[in-house]
Amino acid sequence: MLRCRHVIRKIQVPLLRAHSTGSNPPGGNEQNDQHPLRRTFRLLGNDMRKIKEFFVPKEDKYENESKTQSIATNNKFKFGGDKGSIEEFPTHCDVLIIGGGGIGSSIAYWLKQKARNGLNVVVVEKDIKHEKSATRVSINGLSHHFSLPETIQMSLFGADFLREAPENFGTNIPIKYVPYGQLVLASEEDAEMMKQTSHLQNELGARNELLTVDRLASRFPWLNTKGIALGCIGQEREGWFDPWALLANYKRAAHGYGAHFVHGEAIDFEFENQGDIIVTGAERSGYQSLDKVIIQQPGGAQRSIKFALCVIAAGVNSKAVARLAHIGHGEGVLHLPLPIEARKRYMYKINTQDQNIPGMAMPMVVDSTTGTYIRRLGLGGDYVCGHNAFPDEEVSGDNLDVSTSYFNEKMRPMLADRIPAFATADLVSCMAGLYDYNVYDDNGILGPHPYYHNLYIASGFSGQGIQQTPALGRAISELIMDGQFRTLDLSRLGFDRLIVDKPMYEFNALN
Ligand SMILES: Cc1cc2nc3c(=O)[nH]c(=O)nc-3n(C[C@H](O)[C@H](O)[C@H](O)COP(=O)(O)OP(=O)(O)OC[C@H]3O[C@@H](n4cnc5c(N)ncnc54)[C@H](O)[C@@H]3O)c2cc1C
C-alpha cells in the first residue's frame, strides 16, 4: 500500500488541506485563518512550493551521507520513504512510534540516523513537557551490575554511546555524563550470586572488582558494613548522566534527520482486513492488521495517521495502548495482555554538612540488603536517594503525590544504618516517578508482537531503562530495517516468552 504513498499524497493534498483547515483547533495560527482571499493565496503558495520542491532538488545537509547509507534489506515491508515537509501534519508514515520518551525518541533517532529519507518516521507524544514520563524523573544511574547477558551488554553499550554523545548526536546539548563506579552491597545470602554475576559481567567486557568486608571498611570509612558479606564496585563504564538532556539530544537529532514529532494522544487503532495473511490464533473471519492510529490533538480535534509499522513505547501506558489493538481482550494470542503496570517510586534530595560525610570519591551506593540507593549530587553536601521496594504502596497511574513521611519513617533509618552521616541529613525536596513494571517477570519486553505482523513493543524496563535507550533504539531499528537483531541478540526479551511461559528474570533489576 505505502509503495504508492507519494502518489497518494499528491492526489490527496488538496482534500487534506480542506479538511485540516476545518479541523485544526482554534489557536489563531496561519492554518486557521479562514479569510477567503488569504486562504486561497496560502493554498496557491503551498502548491507552488510543492511544485518547486518536486522539480528542484532540496538542499539536504545529510545528502552525501544518505547516499552511502541505503535502507531496508528487510523485504517484509515496502517503505515509502520521507518526502513530506516536517511542518505538515503527517497523514501517512512508514513507522509510527507511540510515546516520545527516552525509548520512543531513541527508536526515532536510530531509524532516521540509519535510513535518512528512506523512511518516514512519526513519533506521537501526548505530553510534550513529559511531566509524567519516567524519563524525566530518573535518578540517572548507569550501571552494569546485572545478571542477564542482554541487560549487561545493553548497559555497556549505553556507556559507550553516552561517552561519545557529542559525536553521535552532532548537537551541543551536554549529556553531563559523570563516570563513577557503582558500589553494590550484598548480604551473605546474595554473596554467591554476586560472585557469579561479577564474573559474567567481566567476561562481557565490564570491569568491576569484588570487595571483602575488610576492604570495604578500609576503602569507605563512612560505611557501616553490618549485615554485608561482599561488595562489588565498577571500575569503568558506569556513572550518571542527565536523562533530560539525553532525551533532548534524541529528539533534536531525530528531528534534524527528518523525523516528525506530533503532539497528541493515540486513542484508537483502525484495522485492515488482510485475507492474504494467515495467522495462527486469528479469528475465523480472517486476520486484520493494524492500519491507522487515531490521534486526539490538544484542542480536541481527532486526526488519523496511516502507517506500515507501529511501535508501542508508551511507558506505563503501554498496556492501555496495546489494549486499543485488542491485545489482552481478543482470541488466541490476543488473549494475553501486555503485562505492564505503573509502580510508584519516590526520590529524595537530602543535604548534610556532617563531618564524616562521604566525599567526592563516593560511588553510587546500592544496598541490596535494604533496596536503598544513594549518590552524590554536586559538591555542596547534596545527595539523591531512593528505595526499590514499596510493597504496601497504593499505586495509581496518574498519581505523583509524594510522601515525606516515607523518608523520615522508613528510609532515613535504613540510610543512617548504612551510612551514619545521613542520620541527621535535611530533607531538601522530593519527587515521585512511575516505573513501567512488567508484572510477569520484572523485565522489559522488546520486539515484534506475535500476532500482528506490523507491531513492535519496547516497554517495561522499570528502573533501568534510560541507560538502555541507546541499545533499545538500535535494536528496534535493526528489527525494522534488517528484519533481525544485528549487534546484540535480544530475542529472549520478546513477547513470545509470555506465550511459552519462559520468564527472563533479571536478578539485579532496579524494581
Ligand atoms: C524514579 C525513577 C528512577 C529511575 N532511575 C533510573 C536510573 O537510575 N537509571 C536508568 O537507567 N533508568 C532509571 N529509571 C527508568 C527510566 O527512567 C525508564 O526506564 C525510561 O525512562 C523509560 O522510558 P520510556 O520512553 O519507556 O517511558 P517514558 O519516559 O514514560 O515515556 C513514555 C511516553 O509515552 C507517552 N504516552 C503514553 N501513552 C501515550 C499515548 N496514548 N499517546 C501518545 N503518547 C503516549 C507518555 O506521555 C510518555 O512521554 C527510573 C525511573 C523512575 C520512575
Side-chain angles (χ1 to χ4, degrees), residues 98-104 124-127 130 133-135 137-141 264-266 313-315 317 321 345 347 433-436 461-467:
I98 301 177
I103 294 182
V124 183
E125 170 54 55
K126 66 175 180 176
D127 170 18
H130 295 279
S133 312
T135 301
V137 294
S138 154
I139 198 169
N140 322 347
E265 178 173 0
N317 297 117
V321 173
R345 296 291 180 266
M347 283 189 306
L434 301 172
Y435 280 0
D436 49 337
F461 289 86
S462 265
Q464 67 237 20
I466 193 68
Q467 64 191 285

Side-chain angles (χ1 to χ4, degrees), residues 326-356:
H326 302 159
I327 295 168
H329 63 112
E331 285 187 355
V333 172
L334 286 178
H335 182 66
L336 279 176
L338 186 61
I340 290 169
E341 290 179 4
R343 288 280 160 97
K344 189 169 165 183
R345 296 291 180 266
Y346 299 131
M347 283 189 306
Y348 300 96
K349 180 174 165 185
I350 57 177
N351 182 282
T352 174
Q353 300 299 321
D354 193 286
Q355 283 192 338
N356 297 321

Side-chain angles (χ1 to χ4, degrees), residues 194-219:
M194 179 175 263
K195 280 184 199 158
Q196 287 175 21
T197 52
S198 162
H199 184 71
L200 177 67
Q201 291 148 9
N202 282 287
E203 266 189 352
L204 291 172
R207 265 196 349 111
N208 61 45
E209 189 188 354
L210 291 168
L211 299 174
T212 60
V213 175
D214 286 348
R215 291 199 61 208
L216 282 169
S218 66
R219 195 156 157 189

Side-chain angles (χ1 to χ4, degrees), residues 244-258:
W244 193 236
L246 178 62
L247 177 65
N249 273 290
Y250 283 137
K251 286 168 94 167
R252 191 177 293 182
H255 189 264
Y257 289 131

